[in-house]
Every structure is written in structure tokens, then in C-alpha cells.
């Protein structure tokens, strides 16, 4: 959507028009929030088990009996200790600290992986390579398709999160090194096909 808005309003238009084009989508998202059930855990911890059960049934399609069992577990776990004590357990040695370190590390690594440089500045990259705005739009569409592919592979027993992470990280590293090598020789010597392949490969592995 962002690439499309830039293509329509970017040349000869104003940045206000680009932002205004997102208002219809934002309005739909805002209206959709009224149809989203409240957090079942939030309701359970505030002594509203019936509403928590109904929220679980709406959000996950569970039976009432299954929802009641989940809400009971939430209530017991949430009422067993205060919040500060629960948070302190995150720093305890063992599985909890390891899981926290891995989770935070993945988020930090995601930001340091070059994703903003490639995706946010795709237009500039293609422009320096002598390519049109259409190339960036194509990459945006390809990213959407690869997102659907990755979602389907995450829960696949033959793949899973760890193999996807290792393959994706390796492919992103190679793609970024190749893209940097292409631009190191100057814009005049850039191979346009190679630039497109590097960016597409990076987006696919990402």
C-alpha cells in the first residue's frame, strides 16, 4: 500500500497526500478494534471469569469447557504471586533467563540485520542503480507473498522456527554482502539485474 501511494502521489504531489491516502485503511482498522474481544487473561485477573470465557470462545473458537479450564489456569497463575515478584523471575538463572535472552536478542538482531536500510530505502537503492519506482513496488508485492510462505512453513514439522531462522539469516547475510559489493564500485558500474536479484533474495530470506 505504501509503495502504491508513493507511486500515485510521489511525483508532483505532496507528502500530505501520501499520508492522507492511508486514512481509509486506518479508519477500517479503528472500526475493527470494536469487534476484537478483550484480553481473556486481563478479564480473568480482574475477577471477571464469565467474560474471560466468552472472550476465549470468540477469539480462539474453544468450547465453553475448554475456555473455563484455560481461565482457571490464568486465574491461579496470576493470583499466586505479585507482579514484581513475577518479573524478578525473568532474571533468574536457567530456562527463563535463557528464553528472555534469546527473545530480546532476536528483536535486537532484527533491527541490526539491515532490514530498515534495504526496505525503507528501496526506492533510493533502485534509483541509484538506474531503475524505476516499479522495481520497488514489485519488491513490496514479493515481500507480501514470501510472508505468506514463511507463515505456512513456521508450523511445518519439516521446517519450524529454528531452521527458518538459520536459513533466512544466512541468506540475508550473503545478499547484503553482495549488494554492498555492487555499490562499492560506484553507481556507474552497477549491474541492474544483480541489484534486483540481491534485493529480492534479501526480502525473500527476510
Amino acid at each position: 500500500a505504501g509503495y502504491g501511494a508513493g507511486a500515485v502521489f510521489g511525483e508532483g504531489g505532496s507528502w500530505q497526500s501520501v499520508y492522507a491516502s492511508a486514512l481509509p485503511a486506518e479508519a477500517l482498522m479503528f472500526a475493527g478494534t470494536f469487534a476484537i474481544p478483550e484480553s481473556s487473561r486481563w478479564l480473568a485477573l480482574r475477577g471477571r471469569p464469565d467474560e474471560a470465557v466468552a472472550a476465549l470462545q470468540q477469539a480462539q473458537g474453544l468450547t465453553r469447557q475448554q475456555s473455563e479450564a484455560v481461565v482457571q489456569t490464568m486465574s491461579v497463575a496470576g493470583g499466586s504471586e505479585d507482579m514484581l515478584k513475577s518479573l524478578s523471575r525473568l532474571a533468574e538463572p536457567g530456562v527463563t533467563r535463557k528464553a528472555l535472552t534469546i527473545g530480546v536478542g532476536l528483536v535486537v538482531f532484527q533491527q541490526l540485520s539491515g532490514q530498515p536500510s534495504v526496505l525503507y530505502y528501496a526506492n533510493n537503492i533502485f534509483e541509484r542503480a538506474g531503475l524505476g519506482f516499479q522495481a520497488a513496488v514489485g519488491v513490496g508485492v514479493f515481500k507480501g507473498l514470501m510472508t505468506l510462505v514463511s507463515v505456512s512453513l513456521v508450523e511445518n514439522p519439516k521446517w519450524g522456527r529454528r531452521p527458518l531462522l538459520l536459513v533466512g539469516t544466512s541468506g540475508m547475510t550473503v545478499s547484503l554482502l553482495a549488494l554492498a559489493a555492487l555499490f562499492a564500485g560506484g553507481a556507474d558500474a552497477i549491474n541492474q539485474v544483480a541489484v534486483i536479484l540481491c534485493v529480492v533474495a534479501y526480502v525473500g530470506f527476510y
Side-chain angles (χ1 to χ4, degrees):
Y3 288 129
V8 175
F9 302 105
E11 296 182 6
S14 62
W15 63 267
Q16 293 94 336
S17 301
V18 176
Y19 277 94
S21 66
L23 289 178
E26 295 294 336
L28 288 175
M29 292 177 63
F30 178 73
T33 59
F34 292 98
I36 299 176
E38 293 190 62
S39 168
S40 54
R41 186 175 185 276
W42 185 87
L43 292 169
L45 295 181
R46 280 155 182 77
R48 298 158 64 179
D50 292 336
E51 295 177 64
V53 169
L56 268 178
Q57 289 181 289
Q58 181 180 351
Q60 300 185 21
L62 301 178
T63 64
R64 182 169 183 83
Q65 185 176 3
Q66 292 173 325
S67 300
E68 289 176 348
V70 174
V71 170
Q72 178 65 25
T73 303
M74 292 176 179
S75 301
V76 173
S80 59
E81 52 187 354
D82 58 56
M83 182 177 295
L84 291 178
K85 186 176 181 181
S86 298
L87 291 176
S88 66
R89 293 177 57 191
L90 293 175
E92 294 179 358
V95 178
T96 303
R97 180 185 292 182
K98 183 178 180 181
L100 178 63
T101 303
I102 293 174
V104 173
L106 287 175
V107 173
V108 173
F109 179 78
Q110 181 186 33
Q111 298 304 313
L112 298 177
S113 64
Q115 179 260 353
S117 301
V118 175
L119 298 183
Y120 295 169
Y121 296 96
N123 294 343
N124 295 7
I125 293 174
F126 287 129
E127 183 179 348
R128 285 196 59 189
L131 297 168
F133 185 84
Q134 293 78 6
V137 176
V139 170
V141 174
F142 180 72
K143 179 187 176 184
L145 295 176
M146 290 306 297
T147 300
L148 297 177
V149 173
S150 63
V151 168
S152 64
L153 292 178
V154 165
E155 301 297 336
N156 191 317
K158 295 182 179 180
W159 285 91
R161 289 171 172 80
R162 188 172 186 274
L164 283 176
L165 180 63
L166 294 175
V167 172
T169 302
S170 302
M172 288 164 57
T173 301
V174 174
S175 302
L176 286 179
L177 289 175
L179 188 63
L182 288 171
F183 280 94
D188 296 334
I190 291 179
N191 187 312
Q192 295 182 346
V193 176
V195 170
I196 294 177
L197 291 177
C198 287
V199 175
V200 168
Y202 174 84
V203 171
F205 285 112
Y206 177 79

